[in-house]
Amino acid sequence: MAKNRAIYSLFLILVSLWWGWTVLVDFFIIPTVFKTIDQFFEAGDLGAAVFSKLNGLELILGSALVGLFSFQVTKNKKAITMLVLSTLVWVIAMIYFTFLTPKLAELSELWKKTDLMGITGVTGIPDIQQAHQFYHNLYIGMDSIKLLLLTTMMILGVVKEEKWT
């Protein structure tokens, strides 16, 4: 029983941390960066650096949650919902880490170069700014889904607390 309480507490701490830093970065830090720094590309570079560091933390935390629920499912089959949800947020973090954040960084560099040259497209991309905006909006959409999943996990965790025994 005490071991299950420790696992339950760890779950709540991990999900709350992930939810909290996502809200902090998305709604407070990054908007403040773009309001404070006059140079658009400098603000973008700082934003990209923050998200890159955050992505690494998300991978660690997401892996811990998947491991925790994989272990929990062996003891209690009712934890399968949480395993599925934690796997989904881990997959989102993996997409950020392996594809989306590097793609946005690459497009940002191309955008800086094309801006200096006075052109809009290069290397098979007709409009770098539009391509960047597409991937940026994809990131925002996925982050919204991630926040919804993390919120669902927190709510289910609190509502279904008795299922941890």
Side-chain angles (χ1 to χ4, degrees):
M1 181 73 165
K3 188 175 186 180
N4 280 343
R5 294 303 295 165
I7 291 171
Y8 175 70
S9 297
L10 179 61
F11 149 72
L12 283 180
I13 289 167
L14 294 177
V15 172
S16 297
L17 274 172
W18 196 347
W19 187 92
W21 76 43
T22 298
V23 168
L24 181 66
V25 169
D26 288 357
F27 297 112
F28 297 98
I29 294 174
I30 298 303
T32 301
V33 164
F34 277 91
K35 287 177 187 164
T36 305
I37 298 176
D38 291 334
Q39 299 297 319
F40 175 76
F41 288 121
E42 283 182 32
D45 287 345
L46 180 55
V50 168
F51 279 114
S52 180
K53 295 293 183 189
L54 184 63
N55 294 157
L57 292 172
E58 288 179 318
L59 272 185
I60 294 166
L61 210 144
S63 297
L65 283 171
V66 169
L68 180 103
F69 286 113
S70 295
F71 171 76
Q72 193 66 15
V73 165
T74 65
K75 306 270 186 231
N76 181 355
K77 299 296 181 210
K78 293 177 184 175
I80 192 77
T81 301
M82 294 301 234
L83 177 59
V84 169
L85 292 172
S86 64
T87 301
L88 288 172
V89 291
W90 178 82
V91 166
I92 289 172
M94 281 298 286
I95 291 169
Y96 291 164
F97 188 79
T98 61
F99 173 71
L100 211 43
T101 300
K103 182 70 172 178
L104 282 166
E106 173 192 342
L107 288 170
S108 292
E109 286 303 311
L110 285 173
W111 188 0
K112 282 187 231 178
K113 289 176 185 174
T114 58
D115 190 58
L116 287 173
M117 296 186 318
I119 58 176
T120 59
V122 70
T123 62
I125 303 171
D127 189 331
I128 300 292
Q129 189 175 356
Q130 289 293 325
H132 185 278
Q133 193 63 33
F134 170 80
Y135 288 106
H136 182 258
N137 287 335
L138 180 61
Y139 198 108
I140 291 169
M142 290 179 69
D143 231 32
S144 298
I145 292 167
K146 180 185 75 182
L147 270 175
L148 180 64
L149 291 170
L150 290 170
T151 302
T152 301
M153 289 175 73
M154 283 191 298
I155 291 169
L156 286 175
V158 170
V159 170
K160 305 280 186 181
E161 177 184 357
E162 73 277 359
K163 305 288 185 193
W164 283 83
T165 56

